[in-house]
Amino acid sequence: MTTASECIEIQVDNRQLLDDRLNDAVQGLQRLAMLTGTHGILLTRHKPGHYTAALSDQVPFGMTREVVR
């Protein structure tokens, strides 16, 4: 089971905006992850242009994983 103490939803319709939003989300989550040192970051692609970025106890601290659903 994935526990996320913070989740950011991203919905965009162009690649440049997607890259910017994903980078911003990851940087923000990295700052939060540093507070506890127990969660990594999970990026999930739900469909084209729709992603979530979340802290996850299923991802080791210091790591970022990507999944496609």
Side-chain angles (χ1 to χ4, degrees):
M1 181 173 134
T2 298
T3 301
S5 54
E6 181 71 25
C7 184
I8 300 167
E9 187 169 353
I10 300 161
Q11 293 189 43
V12 296
D13 59 5
N14 78 57
R15 183 63 195 199
Q16 180 61 46
L17 192 54
L18 174 62
D19 289 342
D20 292 344
R21 296 265 173 90
L22 286 173
N23 286 333
D24 290 345
V26 168
Q27 288 176 358
L29 290 170
Q30 285 173 333
R31 286 190 292 273
L32 288 173
M34 292 297 291
L35 297 174
T36 61
T38 59
H39 290 72
I41 298 170
L42 181 65
L43 296 175
T44 304
R45 178 179 181 256
H46 300 280
K47 61 183 180 182
H50 184 201
Y51 292 75
T52 53
L55 293 180
S56 173
D57 63 358
Q58 300 298 301
V59 179
F61 174 70
M63 302 282 298
T64 300
R65 289 203 179 133
E66 299 177 36
V67 296
V68 177
R69 299 227 167 155

